[in-house]
Amino acid sequence: MAEALDVDIDVIAARQGSDAFFTMATERPETSVVVAAPTPAERERFESLGSRVAFGAEAVAAAAATADRIVVNGIVGSAGLAPSIAALEAGNRLALANKESLVAGGPVVLAALEAGGGDMVPIDSEHSALAQLLAADDRGVERILLTASGGPFRGWSTDQLAAATPAQALAHPTWDMGRRISIDSATLMNKGFEVIEAHFLFGIDYARIGVVVHPQSVVHAIVEYVDGSMTAHLGDPDMRMPIQSAITWPQRQQADWRRLNFEDLDLRFEPPDRDAFPCLGLAFAAGAVGDSMPAVLNAADEIAVEAFLTERIGFGSIAVVVEGTMERVAARSIKTVADVLEVDEEARAVAWDVIGTSC
């Protein structure tokens, strides 16, 4: 059996102090611990671990800013932006699973990357695949293709989607994910976010980024070249692979997880239904506008998803809220984290207003 990836873990951080996170902290007595937003009871519990525990979002960013670290950022939402910036400005490797860092603050993140001199390696399976494909051959790239599972509602009509429930939307057919990303997968907004992320990661125009639905989630990305040839990255849908790749990049390390059996593969591809899933088109539109509009997209979607999960709006109204917010919040230049947070706050307020007046 191959050896597991052997790395020293200096700091672990989480938004809240769950039982699972407390167990993780107690099992690693030499590791520093950060809880960003604990309840009073969680704070008291974690304080029992002593001086190695810190609290607050600022402590998360400070941990990311410590030099000579690989910072794995798996925070959900725009809260992940400040730690990403801190890691890059310190010259660290940012192993990025928080796509909102690039969606909401792409220009700011790229500026921090250039200033700090570190590197940024994606963890999303699609972007990890693209990084590997482009590292192998980036000559004459005509376009890149991101694959999408299609989510739990693949093949559903607009009428069927209007009656979709949160429980149905959370039941992803391939991946076990958090609540927001599961809903974003169901609307195809997650794939739209990944399009914006790919634009910033690889410097490829939106017109040269495509999306194809691939229910088996075995082909993670495809690169098409100017001569018509293509290369594809295949692998079992297992997030351990892109996580390990980001940590060991550009080297590979042996691993013992499941291999694909080509005799069992039945790979299918189809175009996304942009009429039934308009969020994908909204993401392309936000990317084309640029500046702060992707940040508006992200903030409005976060509010719309929250409203759907609490049954204040229906599934079809998620796109209505996002589009209405994009129409009402003008795009402007963003140069700092403060700029992004200002746009984020404004867009969230407008999104709630759209929910109150249009849904």
Side-chain angles (χ1 to χ4, degrees):
M1 179 177 292
E3 293 184 3
L5 182 63
D6 183 18
V7 293
D8 293 326
I9 300 176
D10 295 325
V11 183
I12 55 174
R15 175 174 173 78
Q16 294 183 303
S18 65
D19 290 343
F21 189 61
F22 186 77
T23 298
M24 189 184 303
T26 56
E27 290 176 345
R28 295 172 170 82
E30 304 303 319
T31 299
S32 297
V33 179
V34 181
V35 188
T39 65
E42 290 170 348
R43 187 182 183 102
E44 182 177 359
R45 186 184 191 190
F46 275 81
E47 284 176 340
S48 69
L49 298 178
S51 60
R52 66 189 178 100
V53 181
F55 301 95
E58 296 82 4
V60 178
T66 303
D68 299 320
R69 281 180 171 163
I70 297 174
V71 178
V72 179
N73 185 351
I75 297 171
V76 175
S78 55
L81 175 60
S84 288
I85 298 297
L88 292 172
E89 288 182 338
N92 289 325
R93 164 168 297 178
L94 175 62
L96 187 62
N98 169 254
K99 59 175 56 67
E100 291 85 359
S101 289
L102 286 170
V103 172
V108 184
V109 171
L110 294 187
L113 175 63
E114 182 176 1
D119 64 348
M120 179 167 56
V121 184
I123 283 180
D124 272 349
S125 59
E126 297 83 356
H127 301 94
S128 174
L130 282 169
Q132 294 174 63
L133 290 171
L134 293 170
D137 187 357
D138 64 354
R139 301 168 302 154
V141 174
E142 185 165 287
R143 63 171 180 156
I144 59 175
L145 289 169
L146 300 168
T147 57
S149 70
F153 300 140
R154 183 176 65 90
W156 285 39
S157 67
T158 303
D159 290 341
Q160 289 174 307
L161 289 169
T165 68
Q168 290 173 316
L170 290 168
H172 195 279
T174 305
W175 303 101
D176 181 14
M177 306 180 292
R179 288 167 64 82
R180 185 197 174 186
I181 193 171
S182 294
I183 303 303
D184 284 342
S185 180
T187 63
L188 293 193
M189 180 64 89
N190 186 57
K191 200 54 51 179
F193 286 159
E194 290 178 0
V195 167
I196 297 171
E197 190 179 5
H199 166 74
F200 285 112
L201 281 169
F202 306 113
I204 295 178
D205 295 338
Y206 290 103
R208 296 167 55 213
I209 304 174
V211 173
V212 61
V213 173
H214 168 54
Q216 294 75 34
S217 300
V218 169
V219 177
H220 301 296
I222 300 166
V223 175
E224 182 176 0
Y225 299 94
V226 292
D227 59 5
S229 64
M230 295 183 175
T231 59
H233 182 283
L234 284 72
D236 196 54
D238 184 335
M239 284 305 299
R240 291 178 298 175
M241 282 191 276
I243 293 170
Q244 175 169 294
S245 178
I247 293 172
T248 64
W249 183 271
Q251 305 303 319
R252 294 187 187 273
Q253 179 167 313
Q254 179 107 19
D256 61 357
W257 40 65
R258 189 176 71 174
R259 269 40 174 182
L260 292 177
N261 184 348
F262 280 90
E263 295 177 0
D264 297 334
L265 292 183
D266 179 18
L267 306 181
R268 298 186 301 279
F269 303 89
E270 60 193 54
D273 185 343
R274 294 195 180 213
D275 292 329
F277 301 95
C279 284
L280 180 60
L282 291 173
F284 271 99
V289 171
D291 290 331
S292 64
M293 192 55 70
V296 174
L297 174 88
N298 174 69
D301 175 72
E302 198 163 326
I303 296 302
V305 168
E306 179 183 343
F308 170 66
L309 286 171
T310 55
E311 300 184 353
R312 295 187 59 170
I313 63 173
F315 185 82
S317 293
I318 294 175
V320 173
V321 173
V322 174
E323 184 172 19
T325 305
M326 290 172 61
E327 290 172 348
R328 291 171 55 177
V329 180
R332 52 189 183 268
S333 175
I334 51 173
K335 298 185 182 301
T336 66
V337 174
D339 292 339
V340 177
L341 295 179
E342 181 180 298
V343 171
D344 182 83
E345 183 178 0
E346 179 184 354
R348 287 170 186 271
V350 170
W352 280 120
D353 189 60
V354 172
I355 290 170
T357 58
S358 303
C359 298

